[in-house]
Amino acid sequence: MDDGTITVGKVYLYGGQVTSWKNDHGEELLFVSSKAIFKPPKAIRGGIPICFPQFGTHGNLEQHGFARNRLWTIDDNPPPLPVNPAIKAFVDLILKPSDEDLKIWPHSFEFRLRVALGPNGDLSLTSRIRNTNTDGRSFSYTFAYHTYFSVSDISEVRVEGLETMDYLDNLKGKERFTEQGDAIVFESEIDKVYLAAPSKIAIIDHEKKRTFVLTKEGLPDAVVWNPWDKKAKAMQDFGDGEYKHMLCVEPAAVEKPITLKPGEEWKGRLALSAVPSSYCSGQLDPLKVLQG
Ligand SMILES: O=P(O)(O)OC[C@H]1O[C@@H](O)[C@H](O)[C@@H](O)[C@@H]1O
């Protein structure tokens, strides 16, 4: 997507993956590792990988499913879906299972991902997944937009909107806990699936004075992940110190898989905006961010 002067977004057919989203100053808002590998068999480390038809290890498939390491195609003739008139540019990517995919997940589907740039440079991703099985069978899946945000320094970041939520802690055998009343801050590795999270979540980067606002629809959960130093070192496609400059907040459907009957379609949407943070006596006003 190009507005004629600066490139404001980049989408790879490999993984159907958004790898760049810039503001009007040309600043990159998504994190992509300097060690990312842009070819099979692994997913690109950064941007917005799509986890489908399985999130994480919640099933028998490879971690996070296969959609993130398949080649998607562009739909040159997208259907006239309800389009927000304010949208400046969009592209529709399609994924259908190959014969090999059908051997590991025996279901026919059409996955249409619409990536759109809206007013003020907002980025939205809308997934439409349709069950195209002709044998009458339903299928179930879990899903996530594994969004890697670029942050100045993870120790200067807080996440608002997930306070008091229940979560499954992936670092403690997926055991269920309840978050305390304070905004989430980061001092060590985190890998949590917040359940029934609110539709708006804010990531506040104090140093950059920037707030990312995530709005999600059709996706009840939200995963928060940062590998921290030890896991970072163990990852081949991730720089040792890069954990300081990224945070994944991933709108997801994990706890309750989505089930589609033949012919049924599901829609899951993520909208992202980056706004200047406003300070009020050293504190951010979460209400302004989350409601304003
Ligand atoms: O290395 P991957 O497969 O891209 O996964 C990265 C992380 O993705 C997160 O979504 C998971 O909750 C973590 O458990 C996982 O480690």
Side-chain angles (χ1 to χ4, degrees), residues 205-232:
D205 185 336
H206 287 274
E207 204 173 295
K208 275 260 184 235
K209 296 194 172 50
R210 172 189 293 149
T211 298
F212 292 108
V213 182
L214 278 81
T215 309
K216 60 187 185 60
E217 287 167 33
L219 296 159
D221 307 322
V223 182
V224 177
W225 179 64
N226 183 297
W228 223 254
D229 54 351
K230 268 201 212 115
K231 284 226 173 114

Side-chain angles (χ1 to χ4, degrees), residues 42 45 55 63-64 68 146 148 170 191 223 225 235 250:
K42 284 190 63 118
R45 177 72 63 198
F55 174 79
Q63 159 122 321
H64 289 329
R68 65 176 183 159
H146 196 309
Y148 287 77
N170 283 336
D191 191 353
V223 182
W225 179 64
M235 287 195 288
E250 314 164 28

Side-chain angles (χ1 to χ4, degrees), residues 198-266:
S199 59
K200 277 199 182 192
I201 299 168
I203 302 169
I204 296 139
D205 185 336
H206 287 274
E207 204 173 295
K208 275 260 184 235
K209 296 194 172 50
R210 172 189 293 149
T211 298
F212 292 108
V213 182
L214 278 81
T215 309
K216 60 187 185 60
E217 287 167 33
L219 296 159
D221 307 322
V223 182
V224 177
W225 179 64
N226 183 297
W228 223 254
D229 54 351
K230 268 201 212 115
K231 284 226 173 114
K233 284 204 177 92
M235 287 195 288
Q236 189 213 342
D237 59 348
F238 192 85
D240 290 358
E242 286 183 332
Y243 73 93
K244 292 179 189 149
H245 306 298
M246 55 73 71
L247 177 66
C248 286
V249 180
E250 314 164 28
V254 177
E255 191 192 26
K256 296 184 185 124
I258 293 150
T259 300
L260 291 180
K261 292 189 189 126
E264 272 184 346
E265 186 177 87
W266 167 86

Side-chain angles (χ1 to χ4, degrees), residues 17 53 55 164:
Q17 195 158 326
F55 174 79
T164 72

Side-chain angles (χ1 to χ4, degrees), residues 59-282:
N60 305 322
L61 300 178
E62 63 193 274
Q63 159 122 321
H64 289 329
F66 53 79
R68 65 176 183 159
N69 51 29
R70 292 293 183 273
L71 209 54
W72 295 52
T73 53
I74 291 184
D75 186 354
D76 290 323
N77 197 8
L81 298 166
V83 174
N84 174 348
I87 280 178
K88 290 204 292 191
F90 73 86
V91 63
D92 274 21
L93 299 181
I94 303 283
L95 182 70
K96 292 180 187 173
S98 66
D99 291 346
E100 289 306 302
D101 296 337
L102 288 168
K103 285 182 197 154
I104 54 171
W105 200 64
H107 296 294
S108 229
F109 64 87
E110 185 189 86
F111 188 144
R112 173 178 298 276
L113 172 66
R114 177 161 294 187
V115 180
L117 279 170
N120 311 318
D122 295 358
L123 175 71
S124 71
L125 279 74
T126 307
S127 291
R128 292 178 170 86
I129 297 171
R130 176 178 290 277
N131 179 337
T132 52
N133 274 337
T134 51
D135 57 7
R137 281 188 306 149
S138 299
F139 62 64
S140 300
Y141 57 91
T142 47
F143 179 97
Y145 288 114
H146 196 309
T147 316
Y148 287 77
F149 292 94
S150 171
V151 298
S152 55
D153 176 350
I154 189 68
S155 58
E156 296 289 323
V157 169
R158 58 193 232 158
V159 173
E160 294 183 355
L162 300 174
E163 313 78 74
T164 72
M165 292 287 119
D166 278 6
Y167 64 89
L168 307 179
D169 196 337
N170 283 336
L171 302 177
K172 294 189 179 146
K174 302 193 176 93
E175 208 183 318
R176 192 177 181 122
F177 298 91
T178 304
E179 198 59 78
Q180 301 304 306
D182 301 325
I184 321 290
V185 291
F186 302 93
E187 290 157 350
S188 58
E189 182 184 2
I190 182 166
D191 191 353
K192 297 178 177 176
V193 181
Y194 289 90
L195 305 172
S199 59
K200 277 199 182 192
I201 299 168
I203 302 169
I204 296 139
D205 185 336
H206 287 274
E207 204 173 295
K208 275 260 184 235
K209 296 194 172 50
R210 172 189 293 149
T211 298
F212 292 108
V213 182
L214 278 81
T215 309
K216 60 187 185 60
E217 287 167 33
L219 296 159
D221 307 322
V223 182
V224 177
W225 179 64
N226 183 297
W228 223 254
D229 54 351
K230 268 201 212 115
K231 284 226 173 114
K233 284 204 177 92
M235 287 195 288
Q236 189 213 342
D237 59 348
F238 192 85
D240 290 358
E242 286 183 332
Y243 73 93
K244 292 179 189 149
H245 306 298
M246 55 73 71
L247 177 66
C248 286
V249 180
E250 314 164 28
V254 177
E255 191 192 26
K256 296 184 185 124
I258 293 150
T259 300
L260 291 180
K261 292 189 189 126
E264 272 184 346
E265 186 177 87
W266 167 86
K267 187 169 119 179
R269 186 166 182 274
L270 161 67
L272 298 177
S273 61
V275 295
S277 303
S278 46
Y279 276 84
C280 176
S281 60

